[in-house]
Amino acid sequence: MSQSVGKTALAYARVWHHVDASERVLGKLAERIALVLMGKHKPIYDKGVDCGDYVVVTNARNIKVSGRKDEQLVYRKHTMYPGGLKETPYKTMMDKKPNEIIYHAVSGMLPKNKLRDRRMARLKVFGGPNPGIYGNNILKRWEDGTLTDDYILKLGRKSKTPSPLPPSR
């Protein structure tokens, strides 16, 4: 007898993911966050159903961009008044609002439809290492090979969780 989750409440349950943005490339990180917000990592994914998870990003100040984007990238917004175009360079934005850089990148990776605002509301971004009150909800962490081994070991020492497997003899 095969077991399937099907379209039950368990299949639609939302999980909180933690992402450490230190030394990560902005575009690749934003793409992965967008996939989780949409729910494409779940077997029940449907483009018209909002089945994605929550994502908490920390250390947004330490994110990297490739090439010369740190000198060339400009964020634009308009006040809707004549001559109201505001342009902010990447370096200024990184100093003042590093979380807005990730919000903007992820927003550009999501489909432009009615579910976009709901999905973006599930993204929480913090400039420093402390996720605040959301730290208690986190169930999954991303260590997918893009982080160095010594950094992962350092994280393991901080959490001080016992190993799930006993040492082999």
Side-chain angles (χ1 to χ4, degrees):
M1 177 193 299
S2 67
Q3 295 180 350
S4 65
V5 175
K7 296 189 181 290
T8 63
L10 180 62
Y12 287 99
R14 299 192 194 278
V15 178
W16 288 72
H17 298 262
H18 174 252
V19 182
D20 187 1
S22 296
E23 306 298 321
R24 303 283 294 266
V25 178
L26 176 62
K28 293 178 182 179
L29 180 65
E31 176 191 12
R32 178 122 185 236
I33 291 171
L35 290 176
V36 173
L37 289 174
M38 285 188 284
K40 280 196 167 187
H41 64 292
K42 294 184 176 183
I44 57 158
Y45 171 72
D46 181 25
K47 63 182 180 179
V49 177
D50 190 17
C51 61
D53 292 339
Y54 289 88
V55 178
V56 178
V57 182
T58 55
N59 292 320
R61 287 192 191 283
N62 303 332
I63 198 144
K64 301 292 180 208
V65 289
S66 59
R68 295 179 52 203
K69 290 188 191 94
D70 57 343
E71 301 164 2
Q72 297 173 342
L73 194 60
V74 177
Y75 294 94
R76 294 180 176 92
K77 65 180 182 177
H78 204 286
T79 63
M80 302 308 289
Y81 286 98
L85 180 65
K86 305 292 182 186
E87 293 184 342
T88 309
Y90 173 81
K91 290 183 178 179
T92 307
M93 187 74 105
M94 182 59 87
D95 292 337
K96 292 183 179 179
K97 300 179 189 174
N99 55 343
E100 290 295 323
I101 293 173
I102 294 180
Y103 278 124
H104 189 268
V106 172
S107 177
M109 302 261 179
L110 288 173
K112 283 62 174 179
N113 59 19
K114 294 179 181 180
L115 298 175
R116 185 185 203 183
D117 291 336
R118 259 194 267 168
R119 289 172 175 160
M120 286 301 293
R122 288 197 307 271
L123 175 62
K124 316 294 182 193
V125 183
F126 298 94
N130 184 12
I133 195 166
Y134 300 112
N136 300 331
N137 299 336
I138 295 171
L139 295 178
K140 294 187 178 182
R141 287 175 166 57
W142 294 357
E143 284 110 10
D144 58 351
T146 57
L147 300 175
T148 59
D149 291 334
D150 57 333
Y151 184 77
I152 293 172
L153 290 174
K154 185 173 73 172
L155 285 177
R157 277 187 250 125
K158 283 183 183 176
S159 64
K160 296 181 182 172
T161 56
S163 175
L165 298 173
S168 59
R169 294 181 190 221

